[in-house]
Each structure stands twice: as C-alpha cells, then as structure tokens.
Amino acid sequence: MNGFDWSAARDALPLVLEGFEVTLLATVLGTLVAAVLGLAIAIAGRAPSRFVTVPVRVVMEFIRSTPLLVQLVGAAALFTFVEPLTIGIVVLGIHYSTYTSEVYRAGIDGVPKGQWEACRALSLSPRRTWQAVILPQAVRNVLPALGNYAISMFKETPFLAVITVQEMVFEARKYGADHFAYTEAFTLAGLVFLVASYPTSLLMRKLEKRLGH
Amino acid sequence: MATEPLPLQKTAAAAAVDIAPVPATSQTGRPLVRFDNVVKRYGDHVVLDGLDFSVRRGENVTLIGPSGSGKTTILRLLMTLEKVSDGVIWVDGDPLSHTRAPDGSLRPATEKHLRKARKKIGMVFQQFNLFPHMKVLQNITEAPVSVLGMGRDEAETRARELLDLVGLSGKTDAHPSQLSGGQQQRVAIARALAMQPEILLLDEVTSALDPELVAGVLELLSDIARNTDITMLCVTHEMNFARDVSETVLMFDAGRVIESGSPEKIFTDPAHERTREFLTAVL
Ligand SMILES: Nc1ncnc2c1ncn2[C@@H]1O[C@H](COP(=O)(O)OP(=O)(O)OP(=O)(O)O)[C@@H](O)[C@H]1O
Ligand SMILES: [Mg+2]
C-alpha cells in the first residue's frame, strides 16, 4: 500500500467542500420538512375521526418499513421531471417525518392533562389551545430529539448520491475515480462529517440538559 | 386584604341586569343551574345515579360528601370536561349537555355547542393548572383576548385590576413557577374571573396548599362570594368557609343528594345519620 497522498487531499478539498454545501442544504431543508410535516402528522393522529387517523397510520407504517434508499430510487424513477436534489430533500423530509411525528406525539402527551382542561375551562378555541398552550410546551420537550434526528439525517445524505445529487460523497467518489485517490477523498469527506456533526451533538446534549430543568 | 369595593363587581352586576331581580331567598323563578336526572357512568361503575338539584342565580352552594361520592364529577360535568351518560344539565334555561334540535327534541351536545355554552362557566382547579410558559399577566389576558375579542390594552388593564384584587399586583411579570402555591391559586382565580363567568366552580382549591397559605385564599374567595353576583359552586372540606360563604350546603353520598339546606341547619341539626357521621369525621 502506498501512503496517504497529502497533495491529493489538498487538491480534493475544494470539490469536497462544494459537495458539503449541497449536503448541508439537503440536511437543513430536509429537517425543516421533517419538522413541519412531523408536527402535522402528530396533530392529525389526534384527530377525532378515524377517516383521518387510519390512512395517516397506514402511510407512516409503509414509509417506516421500507428503506430510505428504495424510497429515493423509487421517487426519482417516478418523478423524472423533478430535480434530483429536490426529490432528495422531500424524500428525506418525509422519511424522517415518520420519526419526528413520534417525537412530537410523545412531547404532546407529555403536556399534563390539566393544561387541556384549563384551556377548556377558559373556552379557548382548539386552534388557540394548540398554538398558545400545548405546542409551546410540547416543542420545548422535543427540541433535543429533533436535533438528534437532524444529525442522523445529515449522516444519511450520502444516499442522495444514488439519485445523482452532487453532495459530498458523490464529489469525493468522483475525485477518487478521476485521480485514483479514493482513500484521500473519502477520508476528507469523513473528516468533514465528523467536524460538522460532533460539535452539533455536543450542542444538542447541552440544550437537552438546559431544557430538562 | 381587599376591603375596598371589588373592581369586578361592576362587570358581574352588568351580566346580571337582564334577569328579574329575584330575591335571594325566593324559590320561584328559573334556576341558573339544574341537574335533571343526571346519570354518569364510567364503564359499569355508576358514579351519579339520577341526580337532581338546582342552583339559583347568585346562590353560593357548597358540595360536601365522602371521598368518591361524585363531587368532582358534578363540577366536571358542569364545566363540560365530561359528558353525561343520561339526563340533562340546564344552564339559564338552556340545555348545556345537549343541543335542541329543530323539532324541539334534545340531542347530545356537539363540540360547537359546548364551546359556546361553557363561556358562562369558569373553574378553578385543585392543582391550579396555570400555563407555565406564560407570565402571570399573559395567563390572565390570553382568554379575554382570544375568546372574548377584548383589546390587548383593555385586557391588560383589567388583568392588573384583578391582580390587585387578589393581592398580587407586583407579580405581573413573574412566571408561575416563581410563585408560591397560594399565589398561583390566586392567579388562577384571577384568570377565571377575567372571563366574567356567571358560574364559578371551585374544586378543593385549597387542598394542594401549605396550611399557612389556606386562610388567605379562602378570605379572597369569601370576598368574591360576598361582593359579586357570581354563582359559586364549591367543593371543600373547609367547613368554616362553607358556613361563611354559602347559602346552601348539599350533602352527597353515592352519587345522590341525601340532604340539602342552610349551613346552620346542616352543620348543627342534620336530618340524616349519614350527614352526621360525615360531619363528625371531618370536623
Ligand atoms: N375518569 C374516570 N374513570 C373511571 N372512574 C372515575 C373517573 N373519574 C372518577 N371516577 C370515579 O367516580 C367516583 C366519583 O369520583 P369523584 O372524583 O367525583 O369523587 P369526589 O366526591 O370528588 O371524591 P374526593 O372527595 O375524593 O375528591 C369515584 O369512585 C371515582 O373512582
Ligand atoms: Mg374530588
């Protein structure tokens, strides 16, 4: 085995960072989709009508029991006219919303029953009950868990390479193939992942501690 | 504590002007609250068994009875936190638990009906149930602004008056967790009063408080009972308070009223052996 080629690594850096921008964009927007959609699913799951709750549950079960990769490839095959990055963001968001909705559900369940009853005793509308009383308390409970899902989504973005999104691992592989320097390019990508996600998870842990008390 | 005239006197009186001035002792006239053969079951467990009683406007009623006799259930039914299994609850001549269909028959109430009907009723809970993420002032203004459509400035002015009334004018910007239990309960009382209820339900509102904080809250409630037209239904184990503020005491046992009368009558000369036993146990 020949040693690590530092000049190749330096050479690959701009390309890898360019890919990192796409990775970051996919993570941020994907998390946004997962956060908003997950909340909508959690609230729909509490609907009094079974015509709402049952279809929601079936779709969620379906998404959760198929691999992300299959969903990406399937969506890319179905929606050939949509840009791959957009498909990637939406599929990541939907996939993760099935998990974030559980997080929200737990957060909502964690709001004491007395809060709902106080809202009723004050005649607050359902909308105001959610908006002013339940969600502000539930979201506090779920922020750390949502952050952790954002980090795992970040680490799953390389799957987007399969549908030709030019994210970081896609770029690293391209560089590796063109210059026969896979080790350098992938090591670099791995380092960027580490540097980005480790401080974020430390931050999350801190946030968790602060909100816990 | 507040000895000056209470600011809420005006508003409560204004809510009451459209009814005939029925003397407080009169038994005639339409009752404000009427339980008509009300049954409440949880599964097979019958909690209220054909309950009948009524409350006149402005009357202060104390509900007493052994643990599990259904006192809380009665208040929760009135607050529409629970649904009746059978029978009808009437408030001010209109069905509360039911909606009147076009043909005049009664149907179980829709959520829409309940939302409208419950506006006349307010409740103070044993565990306060303040909104922990809101400041004291916002706890009080939230419902007047979002439900009654009151302007924010007006709602805040009124909230400050109410905080003054409950002796907490300095705490507008505190969060509930920064207050003692007694102070939290005063805020909860102010919050309920801010909705200008015609009927105020109080379920053992001092039993979660440290003993030294009880007297202050009871004194506040006595003031409210004396100085407003609000009809109060309270569940309490504080018999002196009951004697002080209520015109009528209802003694419950096993989901039925077994005896009712003035506090003097019930406390000094109860007709039922069960009442006597209960009173000896709690006094
Ligand atoms: N959600 C519920 N599900 C099942 N049973 C219930 C429920 N709520 C109340 N009960 C039962 O109804 C009965 C009456 O309860 P309730 O709380 O009204 O009594 P209470 O008179 O307020 O008693 P206490 O003085 O202890 O507060 C009890 O036997 C209780 O176990
Ligand atoms: Mg009770």
Side-chain angles (χ1 to χ4, degrees):
Chain A
M1 265 210 103
N2 40 5
F4 193 85
D5 182 352
W6 289 99
S7 72
R10 200 175 322 126
D11 204 22
L13 189 61
L15 210 61
V16 169
L17 286 183
E18 215 170 279
F20 179 66
E21 274 176 31
V22 176
T23 295
L24 209 57
L25 183 70
T27 308
V28 169
L29 294 182
T31 301
L32 214 65
V33 172
V36 172
L37 192 60
L39 179 59
I41 294 171
I43 293 175
R46 289 186 150 255
S49 160
R50 255 191 273 157
F51 291 104
V52 179
T53 57
V54 171
V56 167
R57 207 159 346 126
V58 168
V59 172
M60 293 228 311
E61 236 10 271
F62 174 77
I63 292 174
R64 239 183 274 162
S65 46
T66 53
L68 177 61
L69 190 62
V70 173
Q71 289 164 17
L72 281 169
V73 172
L78 272 176
F79 303 99
T80 46
F81 48 90
V82 182
E83 231 195 306
L85 179 60
T86 310
I87 290 185
I89 289 167
V90 171
V91 170
L92 269 179
I94 292 177
H95 186 83
Y96 271 86
S97 71
T98 64
Y99 298 104
T100 55
S101 67
E102 287 298 315
V103 170
Y104 281 117
R105 199 181 53 77
I108 291 165
D109 287 349
V111 177
K113 209 170 115 244
Q115 294 290 306
W116 294 92
E117 295 187 344
C119 290
R120 281 194 155 196
L122 292 168
S123 302
L124 296 194
S125 65
R127 190 194 151 94
R128 205 56 203 156
T129 299
W130 281 105
Q131 203 177 46
V133 178
I134 304 302
L135 290 182
Q137 295 181 64
V139 166
R140 262 177 84 87
N141 300 340
V142 307
L143 274 183
L146 285 186
N148 289 333
Y149 276 119
I151 293 171
S152 37
M153 184 189 293
F154 176 58
K155 290 183 296 189
E156 290 210 273
T157 48
F159 280 129
L160 301 192
V162 174
I163 57 167
T164 73
V165 174
Q166 307 189 351
E167 49 68 64
M168 187 160 52
V169 171
F170 183 94
E171 297 290 7
R173 193 175 51 181
K174 197 163 112 215
Y175 184 88
D178 292 351
H179 302 86
F180 211 71
Y182 283 108
T183 316
E184 288 74 12
F186 278 114
T187 306
L188 212 56
L191 275 176
V192 174
F193 270 116
L194 184 71
V195 167
S197 62
Y198 186 63
T200 316
S201 41
L202 281 189
L203 205 78
M204 281 302 145
R205 220 164 302 159
K206 229 177 178 170
L207 181 72
E208 201 163 351
K209 267 205 196 112
R210 245 194 61 194
L211 291 178
H213 298 287
Chain B
M1 271 276 330
T3 46
E4 72 264 286
L6 305 178
L8 75 167
Q9 199 167 355
K10 288 175 241 131
T11 56
V17 286
D18 59 343
I19 61 144
V22 182
T25 49
S26 160
Q27 289 296 338
T28 60
R30 185 167 75 183
L32 182 58
V33 174
R34 187 155 73 85
F35 275 56
D36 180 6
N37 204 15
V38 169
V39 175
K40 178 64 184 174
R41 289 182 219 100
Y42 291 106
D44 290 340
H45 181 33
V46 180
V47 178
L48 301 181
D49 186 13
L51 182 64
D52 286 307
F53 75 91
S54 46
V55 177
R56 283 170 285 115
R57 190 180 283 278
E59 187 178 2
N60 295 316
V61 177
T62 300
L63 282 58
I64 63 171
S67 180
S69 58
K71 306 178 297 293
T72 295
T73 305
I74 291 165
L75 298 193
R76 291 175 59 83
L77 285 170
L78 248 178
M79 193 63 256
T80 68
L81 299 173
E82 305 276 352
K83 291 193 163 73
V84 297
S85 308
D86 207 351
V88 183
I89 301 173
W90 300 82
V91 170
D92 208 7
D94 293 319
L96 173 78
S97 55
H98 291 70
T99 323
R100 231 193 282 265
D103 64 359
S105 66
L106 294 178
R107 309 260 168 82
T110 58
E111 191 53 40
K112 192 169 155 224
H113 168 82
L114 292 178
R115 224 175 315 162
K116 195 155 156 268
R118 68 165 73 101
K119 278 188 196 166
K120 293 181 177 174
I121 307 170
M123 184 160 183
V124 180
F125 299 87
Q126 189 175 346
Q127 299 297 340
F128 331 135
N129 295 348
L130 292 176
F131 304 133
H133 58 296
M134 295 182 187
K135 289 178 177 174
V136 162
L137 196 70
Q138 204 191 345
N139 260 280
I140 301 174
T141 55
E142 168 57 37
V145 170
S146 81
V147 180
L148 303 181
M150 198 180 278
R152 191 161 293 280
D153 288 343
E154 190 192 349
E156 287 192 2
T157 308
R158 282 185 34 92
R160 285 176 207 281
E161 283 171 11
L162 285 165
L163 280 172
D164 217 19
L165 167 79
V166 302
L168 288 177
S169 27
K171 298 291 185 185
T172 47
D173 288 328
H175 277 275
S177 61
Q178 298 166 317
L179 303 179
S180 74
Q183 291 172 330
Q184 291 188 50
Q185 196 57 296
R186 287 158 189 269
V187 174
I189 291 167
R191 182 175 71 171
L193 292 176
M195 287 297 283
Q196 308 174 17
E198 292 174 36
I199 303 165
L200 186 61
L201 309 175
L202 304 151
D203 190 8
E204 301 194 35
V205 295
T206 57
S207 53
L209 301 181
D210 290 338
E212 73 272 19
L213 301 175
V214 170
V217 171
L218 292 181
E219 200 179 324
L220 167 64
L221 291 173
S222 303
D223 278 349
I224 294 167
R226 268 193 298 272
N227 297 321
T228 69
D229 296 352
I230 298 176
T231 305
M232 303 205 318
L233 271 74
C234 53
V235 173
T236 182
H237 294 304
E238 303 284 343
M239 295 303 158
N240 287 327
F241 171 70
R243 202 188 314 244
D244 217 30
V245 303
S246 50
E247 284 89 41
T248 310
V249 175
L250 297 180
M251 167 72 193
F252 285 87
D253 194 24
R256 287 173 166 277
V257 179
I258 60 168
E259 182 165 3
S260 75
S262 67
E264 297 86 71
K265 172 82 176 66
I266 302 276
F267 291 136
T268 55
D269 181 26
H272 268 259
E273 188 51 35
R274 226 24 223 105
T275 314
R276 208 171 322 224
E277 280 168 22
F278 172 75
L279 290 172
T280 349
V282 296
L283 286 179

